[in-house]
Amino acid sequence: MRARFALIALAALGFWALADLTLKAGPSLGGIGQAGGFLRRAWPLDFPPLGEILTQVGRTMAVVLLATLVSVLLGGALAVAATVGRRFTAGASRVALTAARALPDVVLAVIFIRFFGLGALPAVLAMGLHSAGMVGRLYAAAVEQADRGPQEALRAVGAGRIQTFCTAVLPQVAPSFLSIALYRLDINLRISAILGYVGSTGIGTELAMAFGRLDYQRGMAWAVVLFVLCALTEISSGAIRRHGIPARLCKVVAVGGVLAVGWAIVASGVLEVDLAGNWLETLTLFWPPTTAGAELGTALLTTVQVALAATALGALVAVPLGSVAASNVAPNRFVYFVSRAVVLIVRSIPELVLAVLFLLIAGPGPVAATLALAVGASGLLGKLVADSTEQLPPSPALALRSVGASRLQTFFGATFRQGVPDLVSNLLYQLDSNLRAATLLGIVGGGGIGLYLLQAMRTREYAVVTMILLLLFAVVLSLELLATRLVRRIR
Amino acid sequence: MAAESPVVSLRAVTKMFGSARALDEVELEVRRGEVVVLLGRSGAGKSTLLRHVAGLQQATSGGLTVLGTEVSTARERELRRLRRRIGFVFQGFQLVGRLSALENACSGALGRLAGPRLGLATYPRAVRRLAAEQLDRVGLSAQAYQRADTLSGGEQQRVAIARALVQQPQILLADEPVAALDPSSATTVLELLRGIAREEQLTVICSLHQVAPALSFATRVVGLRSGRVFSDQQVSEVDEETLARVYGAAE
């Protein structure tokens, strides 16, 4: 009952946001004609020389690898402290993990750029700090789910907390630690492309520069490169996550990993730091926070609306699509495989590529950002819906089938009803991720608070950057607290 | 010769779980070299009693002295030092499944080693040699490098015994060590435990719930019922009537 109410409330909010955004955008909405014109200007794609592509791919992957490494080290340390530590240490670590998750990566990047100059280091630190929160939380969950038996046995041997963790817990959770790190690597790759717009290095920067000089042929070529890179990374990390690393290759992989990190440190250029000026003086630029007359409240509302509307629109596609992509609902193997394939492909298109497409088709503004995020959301949400539907207990559906209900009657009478609490928690997760993405897309041209962030960076009004940081932190944190409460209540 | 003080002594130990009385004023003294079998139905308090002796659980009230340490007032550091000298064999083996049998055996030495260990190579050579010897003793030298979760139940329990022996303990506690095993593995494991207890002059406290193996294994049989010591007899004096009442219907 509560779950259904939450679902209706989310839908109502989503469509209110959508109506409000389209109303404000008015008739300036581009439409099909503009889309045709854009395609003519972008065709044929103008790929840079292979050497150039490889250099940029290398730089991008190097930054992403280092950022993920930072998040694994930092998040891992906090997760261990949160699970193994005594009461105070554990509590403080949990707070740090939640705070890190709520830190908006792109705002961090802007701040770090002021300290370290343009380049790889700000991106590595910003993504690393932000993703440490997520990685750490998932790591802590994995530790908590580990079998307690061996831990008790080692306690009985007289081993200390750290010894017990290393011998009894770490071997158990190592596979899920690896899989979580790879999952985060996929996400960081997408984010790093957008960070290119604020002055990181790699494919995102090339893409931003090409579009900046209206060179759509080159820009779209880079977008294709980014899409292929994301798809390849996702396929290979997915394969490792599913099958693990064969024991006989472990040593090779370990050595390869160390070499890769060494290469990444050199190739990303994190060491080329430009320590601009006096840090104390720089710090005073950021304080006290101010809005400097900008209507940050309205902008923040727009960003929240984009996230809400995109989640609702995405759900419209994702719920039916994800349902038939669940093996216990799909009417036949063909529908199952096709819908799974659609979900997979949509999910592997990076948000930046979608945003660029929709911005060019629909013109800059929140509507384009909403559409881009909605497409992305239908992919991710579709997968979440499919996976959670497959986890539902089968007995109620079987009972309805046995009294002669049709497939459709069974779905609406049992399966869908059972799935509502899962759906609400998946929608909240999607909303959370859309809120971050909506901020990022603002920088690319999607309006909202991201636009003001870019302006503040260009006009060097760093006190405004601090204000935006605080506002976003507060919104993300309250959404997270609300979501945690809600999910606990409807279960 | 003056009587040696007991290795384990429980004085009116009571343990409450909420309002349930898991141990009810238990009095028990165990001397060096005794092999005590605790008999009783499930829920009689056997596991709880063993966990208290190992310092894994704290009593609600009463006094408990183990190897000269007063457990009820000991700090965590003292408890760790005490646990080091007590081997514990669990019903569910409680091995680290993804590690080799040898590394599981080595982990028995963690209590006397400083700092964490990551991988077999990080244990001192002496520990590895000792662990290999103990695996040999339980008849598993051929499986030393096999992952623990690929071994059979009986083999896993023997690895767990090797781990306890690597501790070089003065007391060996075993909580239903054969309850999860098939009859033939159960016999092997119990014979192994009995042989080790004799060779090492170990004090053993072992809970079982079958009578026949208990009588061939123990020097003394303690019957527990509803958290109380119901009977306490040397194995030569055990009579069937008492045992039947240990398992009998509630009075």
Side-chain angles (χ1 to χ4, degrees), chain B residues 198-231:
Chain B
R198 275 195 200 133
E199 283 166 36
E200 306 268 324
Q201 300 276 297
L202 272 175
T203 309
V204 178
I205 309 178
C206 171
S207 67
L208 286 174
H209 59 222
Q210 306 100 317
V211 176
L215 294 181
S216 65
F217 179 49
T219 58
R220 179 178 162 198
V221 176
V222 171
L224 284 180
R225 191 164 153 172
S226 315
R228 285 170 172 272
V229 176
F230 181 79
S231 67

Side-chain angles (χ1 to χ4, degrees), chain A residues 167-182:
Chain A
T167 305
V169 182
L170 211 49
Q172 287 189 64
V173 296
S176 49
F177 274 20
L178 176 68
S179 139
I180 291 163
L182 287 171

Side-chain angles (χ1 to χ4, degrees), chain A residues 6-297:
Chain A
L7 191 60
I8 293 169
L10 272 176
L13 271 174
F15 289 104
W16 160 75
L18 187 64
D20 199 47
L21 285 175
T22 30
L23 220 63
K24 276 187 199 148
S28 72
L29 216 74
I32 308 297
Q34 214 173 336
F38 158 69
L39 282 179
R40 268 196 302 283
R41 273 177 293 161
W43 196 260
L45 298 179
D46 172 25
F47 282 98
L50 186 64
E52 169 74 4
I53 295 183
L54 290 182
T55 311
Q56 296 303 339
V57 166
R59 270 201 195 143
T60 307
M61 289 309 288
V63 167
V64 169
L65 188 65
L66 290 182
T68 311
L69 185 69
V70 169
S71 70
V72 164
L73 294 179
L74 189 62
L78 285 173
V80 172
T83 47
V84 185
R86 284 160 219 278
R87 190 173 295 172
F88 176 76
T89 324
S93 310
R94 292 217 177 256
V95 170
L97 283 175
T98 313
R101 267 170 54 80
L103 278 178
D105 34 21
V106 61
V107 188
L108 283 184
V110 168
I111 293 174
F112 287 140
I113 284 173
R114 182 61 189 81
F115 282 96
F116 303 110
L118 296 178
L121 187 61
V124 168
L125 288 180
M127 284 195 286
L129 274 184
H130 165 74
S131 43
M134 184 189 102
V135 170
R137 198 159 85 153
L138 294 177
Y139 276 16
V143 171
E144 276 155 10
Q145 278 161 19
D147 181 7
R148 305 251 161 196
Q151 301 175 50
E152 188 189 27
L154 290 192
R155 209 156 79 87
V157 157
R161 284 162 189 258
I162 306 283
Q163 287 179 321
T164 305
F165 178 82
C166 286
T167 305
V169 182
L170 211 49
Q172 287 189 64
V173 296
S176 49
F177 274 20
L178 176 68
S179 139
I180 291 163
L182 287 171
Y183 173 57
R184 189 63 219 189
L185 188 90
D186 286 349
I187 303 178
N188 281 348
L189 176 57
R190 290 142 185 267
I191 294 177
S192 85
I194 303 181
L195 290 188
Y197 269 75
V198 294
S200 166
T201 59
I203 298 175
T205 315
E206 297 302 313
L207 201 143
M209 288 196 314
F211 281 112
R213 51 174 197 268
L214 304 181
D215 184 353
Y216 295 128
Q217 295 175 320
R218 178 55 64 88
M220 283 313 291
W222 278 118
V224 170
V225 171
L226 181 60
F227 170 66
V228 172
L229 183 61
C230 282
L232 287 180
T233 313
E234 181 147 339
I235 290 169
S236 34
S237 79
I240 300 175
R241 291 215 297 264
R242 266 190 305 281
H243 305 298
I245 297 173
R248 66 202 152 79
L249 289 183
C250 272
K251 281 202 179 117
V252 182
V253 172
V255 173
V258 172
L259 289 179
V261 169
W263 161 81
I265 289 175
V266 177
S268 64
V270 277
L271 299 177
E272 300 155 23
V273 178
D274 166 25
L275 292 173
N278 183 339
W279 279 25
L280 267 177
E281 216 168 277
T282 310
L283 262 180
T284 58
L285 293 178
F286 286 92
W287 205 260
T290 167
T291 60
E295 296 195 349
L296 292 184

